[in-house]
Amino acid sequence: MDTQGVRWTADQVLALAPDDASRRAESKLGAAGPWSGAGSDGGAVWGLCRGSGSTPYRTVVDTTGPAYTCSCPSRKFPCKHALGLLLLWASDTTAVAGTDVPDWAAQWLEGRRKRAEQQQSEAGPAGPADPAAARRRAERRAARITAGAEELEQRLADLLRGGLASADQSGYGLWEETAARMVDAQAPGLAGRVRELGAIPGSGPGWPVRLLEECALTHLLDRAWLRVDRLPAPLAATVRTRVGLTTPAEGPSVRDRWLVLSQYDSADGKLTTRRIWLQGRDTGRTALLLSFGAAGRAPQLALPVGVVVDAALTLHTGAGAVRAELGEQFAAPVPLDAPPRGGTVGDALSDYGRALQEDPWLDSWPATLCDVVPIPTEHGWQLADAAPGAGGGEALPLTGPAAARPGLWRLAALSGGGPVTVFGECGHRGFTPLAAWSADAPGETVPLH
Amino acid sequence: MDAWEELVTSALLGTDRRPPSLPGAAAGDAPVALLDAAALHTVRRRAGLRPGPAGAAPEPAPADDRTPLPEAARRRLGQLLAGRATPAPSGGRRGAAPDLAELLPQWLAAANEHGYRAPASALPALLDAARARTDLRPQALALAGPRGLWLARLNPDWKFALRGAAGSTALPDTRDGEAVWALWEEGLFAERVALLGSLRAADPAAALALLRSTWAAERAEDRLMFLDSLRAGLSDADEEFLEAALSDRSRNVRSTAAELLSALPQSALAGRMARRAESCVSLDRTEGGATIVVEAPHECDAGMQRDGLIPTPPTGRGERSWWLGQLVESAPLSCWPARFGGRSPEEIVALPVADDWQAELHAAWCRAAVRQRDADWSRALLGAPAVPPATGPGTSSLAERAKLLSTLPDGERALWVASFIAAHGLSEAFQLLGVCTVPWAEPLGSAVIDALDIAREAGSYPWSFSGVMGLAERCLSPDAAAQLESLTALPAEAEDASPGAGGYWSEAFQRLVSTLHLRASMRAELAG
């Protein structure tokens, strides 16, 4: 790698923006005008941005993180200056020409790297200070969750006794109250399920079937929790995660060249959840990084879509072990060389079915479809295997929300009626495409969310 | 009813009213038994999902063998399309950053000149941009190419793309006589207009022959549109056909034919018009110096009407001056030097005109100079750029001066406007700047920058010049950035200046400089 490092694409930078407003602001700052002294050295980018005040803002981005610092007062993260600087770096080869790190940038970068090294050396099974007290706390919480699960069971039984038809009339209030009781019981997983149950009666035709299915799976989770000590260990871990107990990532650490397939946020009440899907180039393994932010603030973790990161991930146990934590990164991200590996639509459904064995509460499972064609039908869009013989003529419907997003049209444009590679989430509601690659430009990851 | 449907019915009505028939379930535990059974069914159903049958795949998009955009230009397009969504606040302060939405048309035109095709993933944003801004449509759709049209067919939001484009994509090769003939015979009106236009560009005589072949059978409004397409590549070879069209049933067709003929100075119509005009305008030497005397026509006879003169004036204008204006406008300018003793256009324009006919006469000459694309007469009628417009020859209307300017060669045009700005400042220059070729040639660029600097020193606010400033951002040569660099500094506040103006000017010049840098980068990126 040369001293300039590998530049990101504008799309990759845009994907880091915490919200639309920053995305617009950054495209204004992503021009040479307000910047001076901008430079990069492969692992970092820095520059001075003229703002409204007399002293320019000092902006530094550690592109291996990525991590950002800026002397501006913005509470957004990364701020518009950091994004603008990255955009300038991505798009203008002459404007970010310096290679000597100025002192003010070097200080922060050194401090950051030192802290990272420290964390590495300290990392290890550092147990809690007082194991006995920790165990007592865990037991108390388990007891509260058990009480919550029993209460929820009672509520479900009452509902079934009186009939789901009455759920339509009883409205959302009753569910909201039950959800609050689950929050009190320190079972956020159960609370979330209950809130979703409350939304189903208003979700259109066929709602009784959906409500029965989700009630039954909630019941299954209640029962599983109440007997969690008798379950095999991996399933027990899954159940604990599903009721909302956070388990530390204690699985194996896997170093690979991870391709960043997709990054998208979903807002749920007071929380923004960011999902980043990765696929290992060598292991072929798919992993999910989760990052959370308070409402209105973007989660900390961000990786540009379409790059390959040489990094170690620590995998979670249970729930199919698809979740992971990002560990050490060994080099700056490099651009993608080839699309991810994948299979047919039939393979995707089979994988989802297999994953349900370990986690029956899974709504979807990551899947990469090779050689599929997006097809508009009178019931909505579908993805169909293009190659005859390899299960040709088989198709998966797109989920309703996925078909309503602008990404659908990028997918259609990319395909032009021909086969493309599509990564997404495959589940019982259909397929949600998240990124696509065409044979014409195999190095270009087109985000669809 | 299968087992699952039974469960659903039972769940819907309640197990009290409709107990499920589940073996081994005690009556009191019916809800739990039902939930157990439903859970089993749900997981089993999800785990056993199979793909459905595929629908009919859409016809693949036609191949597009244009070159893909260079990587940097591809990124730039994404940025320009993302910036499109945020228009600059109207009026007032616009900050120091370039306005990307304003650069998109220029970028699209340049990309099309290079013959690039748009990246597939950018097509939806490109179509959305074209939908929102009609001024972008032709260039955006050209870049989007056949795959853009293919995509537009799938989404009703992009219907607009199919309307204008139906003809241009299906046009046959103009050398393929059979295909041309087939489309001319069977095509929709828009397709036929497009066909005639493209054939006229390639082979004017063949286009005329095609038009002649069906002329008599065409509807009047179609005849008018077809006739209009002869404007391109107009030559004496068209005269016979146009002369015949002077007897057309439709008045609009007749006057368009006359207008086209009058743009051919050798035509018989031009000769007739010259004779009529000359009989109205003459030189009188009796009172010392030479003076132009005008005797407006007393009637608009059948011959004049056949040659396209409109007999009834608009309200508020006298009949005779209306007829005179039309005669002089349609007469070839080449007839006047002979009429005025071999004088040049400058000398003729400088002659005094008796009885207040000057404005009428000069205005008609202006229209003739524009119609006949006559640079000599345009130059004479524009006069020296330093002369105040109100006292100059020709016309004081900026719109008409802009039209006269457009007949001059590029360099001369830029020079004239530069001198005009140097003499009169920027306040009236906007329309004139609009007809200059982009990027502005020197010394026009320098003249605009100097005038902006003078306006700044005079203490006014930059937004009084936002129109010219916006034009300068799009039209100044990127090389001008060096000259502007010093103007971006924050000046010390002068006592008589408007409060804060210095800061705003500095900001405006920063934006100008960064826009010029950006345009230079864009140009370099497209060059690949």
Side-chain angles (χ1 to χ4, degrees):
Chain A
M1 194 164 51
D2 68 8
T3 52
Q4 287 293 309
V6 173
R7 285 167 199 273
W8 299 352
T9 68
D11 285 341
Q12 289 164 353
V13 177
L14 286 164
L16 301 180
D19 51 30
D20 278 348
S22 321
R23 207 160 289 139
R24 288 196 289 272
E26 84 178 89
S27 61
K28 291 201 171 235
L29 287 171
W35 292 95
S36 58
S40 70
D41 71 352
V45 189
W46 58 85
L48 299 169
C49 185
R50 188 155 43 179
S52 50
S54 53
T55 44
Y57 297 126
R58 296 166 160 187
T59 312
V60 194
V61 181
D62 180 346
T63 49
T64 59
Y68 323 87
T69 182
C70 181
S71 57
C72 79
S74 168
R75 281 177 298 118
K76 283 192 179 153
F77 194 87
C79 70
K80 60 183 180 178
H81 304 101
L83 290 166
L85 179 63
L86 282 176
L87 203 57
L88 183 66
W89 172 65
S91 60
D92 194 333
T93 41
T94 53
V96 188
T99 52
D100 292 333
V101 189
D103 289 346
W104 51 267
Q107 250 171 16
W108 178 76
L109 287 168
E110 254 164 49
R112 213 186 111 66
R113 275 158 203 173
K114 230 174 257 165
R115 274 196 304 281
E117 277 163 28
Q118 233 164 26
Q119 269 175 7
Q120 283 298 317
S121 59
E122 280 172 13
D130 182 352
R135 200 176 59 240
R136 275 199 301 281
R137 273 200 305 279
E139 279 165 6
R140 265 204 306 278
R141 181 164 181 197
R144 296 179 75 162
I145 296 176
T146 300
E150 280 166 349
E151 189 182 336
L152 183 53
E153 272 300 276
Q154 197 55 54
R155 168 96 177 82
L156 289 172
D158 289 349
L159 176 69
L160 268 298
R161 203 168 281 128
L164 298 182
S166 65
D168 198 15
Q169 289 117 44
S170 63
Y172 198 70
L174 198 56
W175 290 111
E176 198 46 42
E177 190 193 307
T178 310
R181 305 275 301 153
M182 294 304 117
V183 172
D184 290 345
Q186 293 184 302
L190 293 179
R193 295 196 80 84
V194 170
R195 256 183 242 113
E196 278 168 32
L197 290 179
I200 294 176
S203 67
W207 67 266
V209 169
R210 286 196 294 280
L211 184 57
L212 178 58
E213 285 186 344
E214 294 308 320
C215 282
L217 288 175
T218 306
H219 161 75
L220 185 66
L221 183 56
D222 284 336
R223 303 298 287 211
W225 169 259
L226 295 173
R227 296 182 192 182
V228 71
D229 48 348
R230 276 185 258 166
L231 296 177
L235 190 57
T238 301
V239 170
R240 284 194 195 94
T241 312
R242 286 285 171 192
V243 297
L245 286 172
T246 48
T247 44
E250 54 199 9
S253 170
V254 180
R255 178 175 171 177
D256 201 339
R257 295 175 298 127
W258 296 98
L259 162 60
V260 184
L261 297 165
S262 155
Q263 169 182 311
Y264 69 94
D265 295 351
S266 49
D268 171 27
K270 300 185 186 79
L271 198 68
T272 303
T273 304
R274 172 167 293 171
R275 288 178 172 77
I276 302 177
W277 283 109
L278 305 172
Q279 193 188 68
R281 299 308 261 165
D282 303 328
T283 58
R285 185 173 198 133
T286 306
L288 174 66
L289 304 179
L290 284 181
S291 178
F292 303 94
R297 297 194 60 176
Q300 280 262 2
L301 185 63
L303 290 173
V305 169
V307 300
V308 179
V309 191
D310 182 2
L313 300 189
T314 310
L315 301 173
H316 282 248
T317 50
V322 72
R323 233 196 111 183
E325 301 291 333
L326 182 60
E328 191 184 350
Q329 294 178 53
F330 301 98
V334 298
L336 164 74
D337 42 7
R341 289 174 262 170
T344 64
V345 297
D347 296 340
L349 279 177
S350 304
D351 286 350
Y352 169 62
R354 249 191 307 280
L356 283 173
Q357 291 180 354
E358 292 177 29
D359 183 355
W361 299 277
L362 265 182
D363 278 328
S364 62
W365 190 246
T368 305
L369 309 177
C370 284
D371 285 337
V372 282
V373 185
I375 296 178
T377 74
E378 54 181 311
H379 307 295
W381 284 73
Q382 53 174 220
L383 284 170
D385 287 322
E394 296 197 325
L396 264 172
L398 297 194
T399 59
R405 275 196 284 267
L408 169 72
W409 296 104
R410 282 203 293 280
L411 175 61
L414 197 68
S415 142
V420 283
T421 299
V422 182
F423 169 77
E425 294 165 6
C426 175
H428 58 92
R429 294 193 187 94
F431 191 86
T432 302
L434 296 173
W437 298 260
S438 76
D440 291 343
E444 187 196 357
T445 303
V446 177
L448 301 176
H449 195 282
Chain B
M1 199 188 280
D2 71 9
W4 171 244
E5 277 173 52
E6 229 168 277
L7 288 183
V8 174
T9 310
S10 186
L12 204 51
L13 299 175
T15 53
D16 283 354
R17 249 171 295 174
R18 181 75 176 259
S21 54
L22 291 164
D29 280 345
V32 175
L34 196 159
L35 285 170
D36 280 342
L40 186 63
H41 172 89
T42 302
V43 178
R44 194 158 49 193
R45 184 184 74 81
R46 291 182 182 180
L49 281 172
R50 297 295 311 145
E59 193 70 19
D64 186 345
D65 44 17
R66 291 178 293 170
T67 332
L69 280 171
E71 177 63 19
R74 193 181 64 78
R75 291 185 210 168
R76 180 70 66 190
L77 173 63
Q79 210 182 336
L80 290 174
L81 289 171
R84 178 189 69 83
T86 50
S90 57
R93 245 181 113 184
R94 295 203 290 134
D99 186 347
L100 295 178
E102 290 298 325
L103 296 178
L104 189 52
Q106 201 171 85
W107 188 95
L108 289 173
N112 283 326
E113 270 170 36
H114 278 93
Y116 290 125
R117 75 175 133 96
S121 56
L123 290 176
L126 201 55
L127 287 168
D128 280 342
R131 183 187 179 207
R133 277 179 63 178
T134 42
D135 64 313
L136 290 178
R137 262 178 212 180
Q139 297 283 14
L141 291 179
L143 188 69
R147 187 173 286 213
L149 286 181
W150 175 89
L151 189 63
R153 269 183 217 110
L154 297 175
N155 186 341
D157 283 354
W158 297 325
K159 273 205 301 271
F160 72 88
L162 308 175
R163 279 199 295 272
S168 61
T169 52
L171 278 190
D173 189 323
T174 49
R175 285 161 301 185
D176 182 350
E178 216 164 289
V180 165
W181 179 247
L183 186 63
W184 183 249
E185 283 278 272
E186 295 152 20
L188 301 170
F189 174 67
E191 289 168 333
R192 302 178 70 208
V193 170
L195 175 70
L196 193 61
S198 77
L199 192 57
R200 182 73 176 174
D203 183 352
L208 184 65
L210 190 67
L211 184 55
R212 263 176 198 282
S213 66
T214 57
W215 179 253
E218 305 289 354
R219 300 183 314 149
E221 53 267 50
D222 295 1
R223 287 202 304 279
L224 186 63
M225 287 295 286
F226 292 144
L227 196 58
D228 213 55
S229 68
L230 296 185
R231 248 175 239 285
L234 187 68
S235 76
D236 290 337
D238 301 318
E239 188 188 346
E240 190 196 332
F241 176 76
L242 291 171
E243 187 73 38
L246 285 177
S247 322
D248 198 271
R249 296 186 297 280
S250 151
R251 199 186 79 180
N252 287 330
V253 171
R254 290 198 302 272
S255 62
T256 302
E259 190 197 325
L260 290 170
L261 280 171
S262 71
L264 294 171
Q266 308 300 321
S267 69
L269 176 131
R272 294 196 292 275
M273 284 300 188
R275 278 192 298 283
R276 289 186 188 114
E278 280 168 347
S279 73
C280 297
V281 182
S282 53
L283 196 64
D284 182 10
R285 297 175 179 282
T286 51
E287 293 173 42
T291 303
I292 296 177
V293 179
V294 173
E295 171 78 19
H298 291 273
E299 59 164 347
C300 183
D301 58 34
M304 285 158 78
Q305 291 190 36
R306 181 175 184 277
D307 282 347
L309 256 70
I310 298 164
T312 326
T315 34
R317 288 203 61 175
E319 280 188 331
R320 292 182 61 204
S321 76
W322 170 245
W323 298 332
L324 174 83
Q326 294 181 78
L327 283 182
V328 174
E329 177 185 342
S330 306
L333 288 160
S334 53
C335 73
W336 299 113
R339 182 84 180 135
F340 295 121
R343 286 180 169 81
S344 70
E346 275 82 11
E347 289 164 330
I348 296 170
V349 167
L351 287 170
V353 183
D355 303 327
D356 292 337
W357 280 105
Q358 178 175 338
E360 204 74 55
L361 186 62
H362 281 189
W365 277 336
C366 284
R367 293 196 295 275
V370 172
R371 187 186 285 187
Q372 296 168 34
R373 313 294 308 161
D374 190 315
D376 286 340
W377 273 87
S378 294
R379 208 172 283 130
L381 289 160
L382 280 165
V387 174
T391 59
T395 169
S396 60
S397 146
L398 287 167
E400 287 178 30
R401 292 180 145 227
K403 282 190 207 156
L404 287 173
L405 273 172
S406 68
T407 69
L408 299 186
D410 294 348
E412 188 182 348
R413 207 185 304 172
L415 198 64
W416 197 94
V417 179
S419 311
F420 181 89
I421 289 171
H424 311 296
L426 288 170
S427 49
E428 295 195 307
F430 187 75
Q431 273 182 305
L432 304 182
L433 283 168
V435 295
C436 293
T437 31
V438 178
W440 288 339
E442 283 304 319
L444 178 56
S446 298
V448 172
I449 295 172
D450 289 347
L452 287 171
D453 191 21
I454 291 167
R456 176 181 70 142
E457 287 186 349
S460 45
Y461 284 113
W463 43 85
S464 316
F465 299 90
S466 57
V468 172
M469 206 43 123
L471 264 185
E473 285 165 25
R474 296 194 294 281
C475 307
L476 263 181
S477 160
D479 306 332
Q483 193 187 343
L484 282 160
E485 216 53 83
S486 66
L487 296 176
T488 60
L490 196 63
E493 196 110 316
E495 266 179 31
D496 52 347
S498 316
Y504 296 133
W505 274 107
S506 158
E507 200 174 77
F509 279 120
Q510 274 174 42
R511 187 179 60 243
L512 185 50
V513 169
S514 43
T515 307
L516 295 184
H517 282 311
L518 191 59
R519 280 175 46 217
S521 315
M522 282 168 28
R523 203 171 53 179
E525 288 158 7
L526 283 167

